[in-house]
Structure formats: C-alpha cells, structure tokens
Amino acid sequence: MFVDKGAIYACKGVGKAADEFANVDIKGVGDMRRCYKKVVIALTMCTSAMASAAVATSGALVTKQGDIKPMCGSKPMVVGLADGYGGNTWRKTTLAELRDELGRCSNVKRLIYTNANGDQQKANTDVNSMVAQGVNVLIILPDFGAAQIPALRAATKAGVTVIPYLSTLPGRAGKDYTSNVTDDLFARGATQADWFGKNLKSGNIIFLGGLAGSPTSQAALDGFKSRLDRYPGLRLLQNDFVVTNLNPVDAAKAVQGVIAKYPKIDGVVTDYGVTALAAVKAFEQSHLPVPAVATAGSNNELSCKYTETTKSGKPFAYTSLDGTTSIVRFAARRGVSEFQGMPNSEPTSVIEYVYADSGAGIDPKCDPSAPPDADFSSALPADKLKTLFSQ
C-alpha cells in the first residue's frame, strides 16, 4: 500500500518519542507522565495519518477492470443474479454488464435472473429457487440487508458460491456467504469532502442520505466527516444525514425542510443522483442559488440538468463519483474464481471514479434521447449501451 509523506513523518514521530522516553532521566511521576503523553500523541497521529492515507488505496478503482479469462477454469457453470428490485435502467445496465463479463467464459452454460420487485419474501424465495435450479455461482444485490442472510447462508451450505455485492452485508464470509464485494463508501465520502475543501473552501454543508438508519449512507457520511478537520472553513450543519428515502418526492420535501431550517446552505452532499437532482430543483423552486453539489450514482437527467444550467449562464459547482454499474463485474470475477479455484488478486472493495467535476473541467455526458435514469459511466461499449436503451 502506498503511504503519503505525511503519514511517514507522523509515524517516524512515534520512534522519536519512544527514544526520548527511553533515554530521558526520569526523576519523578511528572516526567513519566510527560514522556508517556508524547508517545501516545505521536502514536495517535501516526494511526490517524495511516488511516487517512489508506482511504484512497483501500480498494480497486472501478475503471481498473481485471481479466476474467484466466479465472474461467474448466468446470461448467450456471450463474445467477438475484435483484431485490430490478425495475430501473441502472439494474438493467448492471445485468447487461454481467452478461458482457460472463461472455468471456465459454464454460458459463446459463445465466438465471430474478427480480423480487421490492418484495422481501420473494427475494429470499428467489435465492432458494436459484439453488433448486442448480446455480453454481449466485451474485446478489442484498436490497433487504441482514434479512437475506438466512437464505444466503442456506445457499452457501448447499455448496453454492454466494457473492453479495455493492452493499456491505453483516455476517461472516465462508459461513453466511462466500465473499462480499463492496463499494468503498467511506472512501467516497472522504473524496467528496476533499472536493469541497478544494472547490468550496468554506461554507455550510448538508448531507442527504437514503433510508433512515441506512448503513450505506452512514458509511459515506463517516468518510466525509473523517476529512472535515482538514478544512476548518467547512461546517456540516447536521451531525446525521438527512433522510430522503431515495425517491425524488421525499427528497424534495426533505430539502425544502432543510432550506427552511438553515438560512445559508453552500454545499449539498448526496449518495444518489436522484436525490441530488431533487435538491437542485428544490433550490431553484425556492428561488435560491443552487449550492455546490457532490453526489454519486448520477444519471442522464442530472447530467443534462447540469449541462442546461451551465449553458444558460447559471452554473453550479458539481462533481459526481460513478461507475457503480460496473462493480458487478468484480463480483462476477470473484464468484467465478472462487467456484473454479482459480487465483484472483483483486480487492473485494471497489472505489468509484470521478465522472464529473466542474472544478477540473470534466463534464458529464448528456443525451436527451436516452432514458432519464441512464448511467453513461457504465463499462459497457457504446453500441451495447445504445441497444440496451432501445429495448
């Protein structure tokens, strides 16, 4: 792991403090306490610096896709993808990416797909059905979190290679599932804070999350908070994230409530493009300048909104971290390699890439002819994306 110079210097301070502790002529309890305090402070600085440096290197960048071919092995495979809710373009794109990835393995005999349509009981039944149909590798986006562990544990016990992905799932690898491929949400939040530190520098910020108690939103918020002490000019208005329920209606109401509560908002952080777009519209409808926006998981409608406001002479500072539809490829490679017993050196944590950044002159793609929720940060080739959107 690469460690920056700040971390190196901070950790060298531990050795210096320890040497001083060993060599000083301690004449009483006061001297002992002073030396001990220096060591503890140095150790704390080292630990903090190491953790900070590790944020950017803890996972694989989503654009650095590996090669599945050496992992394909020779055993015939039936692969399943179980969605808790598959009714949007993001999920359709994810399925297309999985098909594209598995297409490189000639021994994949079948891909089975299930969509629970938001029904938790059906989601668990779908897992049981996959096992009954002889799935060897089961990839699942666990929309219902821990409630799905019993079904996944049963599938794992039945000999299926089970790979929950994107969300961090509680449980134990090897027992409740084979391996959990996750989106590094802590790193995302830290990156968003750094962007504000560079582009906003000072001001009041709100953080829009998803469902109440969402562990994914909390992880991103924790990452954001971990960086704020670097930017004393930035202030997080609320210690907890604002609940939006990940839909535009509730998000708009939540943002209107925040606008009424705080007279000055300079930045908005969100963990989903839909809520970011709702926030932009809420400020416009309130006849207020749109604050700086840092989001993730953007979509075509949000990108077009940013493009439209920029062309109209009313731009707002904007950045988005994307590539989430491609994380399923990491899950596919992990599942295939585990089932085939082939080596796979990829981390199980994945980091999104910068898809848009007004400060760096990186503009997102806008295509008015594509679906509003289309995700152009996908790793699918342009021709396959076009075919997908025309279906």
Side-chain angles (χ1 to χ4, degrees):
M1 179 187 72
F2 172 78
V3 180
D4 65 17
K5 289 182 179 179
I8 292 173
Y9 293 147
C11 293
K12 281 184 176 179
V14 177
K16 183 178 180 181
D19 286 343
E20 183 178 343
F21 195 176
N23 297 321
V24 72
D25 183 15
I26 297 175
K27 297 178 180 178
V29 174
D31 288 341
M32 176 73 78
R33 285 177 176 169
R34 280 190 289 274
C35 288
Y36 177 73
K37 185 176 180 180
K38 286 184 179 180
V39 173
V40 170
I41 291 173
L43 185 58
T44 301
M45 291 176 65
C46 171
T47 303
S48 176
M50 288 291 287
S52 177
V55 163
T57 58
S58 59
L61 190 64
V62 71
T63 53
K64 302 295 183 182
Q65 293 286 335
D67 185 1
I68 196 173
K69 289 182 179 179
M71 306 175 193
C72 291
S74 57
K75 293 188 293 184
M77 291 179 286
V78 177
V79 180
L81 174 62
D83 261 340
Y85 176 75
N88 57 36
T89 303
W90 187 93
R91 302 288 178 134
K92 293 175 183 176
T93 305
T94 296
L95 177 58
E97 291 224 31
L98 179 60
R99 289 188 190 279
D100 186 65
E101 188 70 21
L102 294 175
R104 295 168 171 81
C105 292
S106 59
N107 51 333
V108 174
K109 301 304 179 184
R110 187 183 177 195
L111 173 60
I112 303 173
Y113 176 73
T114 59
N115 172 15
N117 282 316
D119 185 327
Q120 179 180 313
Q121 184 175 350
K122 186 178 185 303
N124 289 333
T125 301
D126 285 343
V127 171
N128 298 335
S129 175
M130 292 267 196
V131 176
Q133 293 180 71
V135 163
N136 306 113
V137 178
L138 173 58
I139 299 168
I140 180 169
L141 203 168
D143 290 276
F144 304 102
Q148 295 189 254
I149 286 182
L152 299 184
R153 184 187 301 127
T156 304
K157 189 175 181 180
V160 178
T161 299
V162 179
I163 311 292
Y165 83 101
L166 203 68
S167 299
T168 300
L169 196 63
R172 192 168 67 189
K175 179 183 178 183
D176 299 311
Y177 44 78
T178 306
S179 186
N180 189 184
V181 175
T182 63
D183 185 350
D184 193 335
L185 300 169
F186 190 91
R188 174 204 286 175
T191 300
Q192 289 173 323
D194 286 339
W195 182 82
F196 277 110
K198 180 179 180 180
N199 293 276
L200 184 60
K201 295 184 173 58
S202 64
N204 298 328
I205 299 173
I206 59 168
F207 195 109
L208 304 181
L211 303 175
S214 167
T216 55
S217 294
Q218 187 61 51
L221 176 59
D222 289 343
F224 188 83
K225 289 179 177 179
S226 75
R227 282 288 212 263
L228 277 186
D229 59 350
R230 296 186 177 189
Y231 311 108
L234 298 178
R235 179 192 173 206
L236 193 60
L237 290 172
Q238 294 187 185
N239 190 50
D240 299 321
F241 62 81
V242 178
V243 173
T244 68
N245 294 322
L246 299 177
N247 71 69
V249 176
D250 288 351
K253 291 178 180 177
V255 175
Q256 290 291 357
V258 171
I259 290 174
K261 185 176 182 179
Y262 301 106
K264 187 173 185 291
I265 299 173
D266 306 289
V268 174
V269 194
T270 89
D271 55 6
Y272 188 32
V274 169
T275 55
L277 180 62
V280 171
K281 291 180 178 180
F283 276 91
E284 287 179 335
Q285 290 166 3
S286 298
H287 305 290
L288 294 171
V290 176
V293 176
T295 190
S298 67
N299 56 43
N300 187 40
E301 186 178 6
L302 176 58
S303 297
C304 289
K305 182 67 175 177
Y306 169 74
T307 302
E308 171 193 317
T309 56
T310 301
K311 288 181 178 179
S312 68
K314 297 180 180 179
F316 58 92
Y318 173 68
T319 188
S320 183
L321 298 171
D322 286 279
T324 53
T325 62
S326 302
I327 295 177
V328 74
R329 295 178 183 264
F330 286 83
R333 291 192 292 270
R334 178 60 53 185
V336 167
S337 63
E338 292 280 359
F339 174 70
Q340 296 288 345
M342 303 299 288
N344 181 351
S345 61
E346 287 184 320
T348 55
S349 178
V350 184
I351 299 173
E352 301 152 3
Y353 76 99
V354 178
Y355 178 67
D357 185 346
S358 58
I362 303 173
D363 294 326
K365 181 178 179 179
C366 162
D367 184 351
S369 67
D373 59 348
D375 188 342
F376 290 109
S377 70
S378 165
L380 279 174
D383 59 330
K384 292 189 177 183
L385 268 177
K386 185 177 180 180
T387 301
L388 176 67
F389 296 153
S390 65
Q391 293 175 350

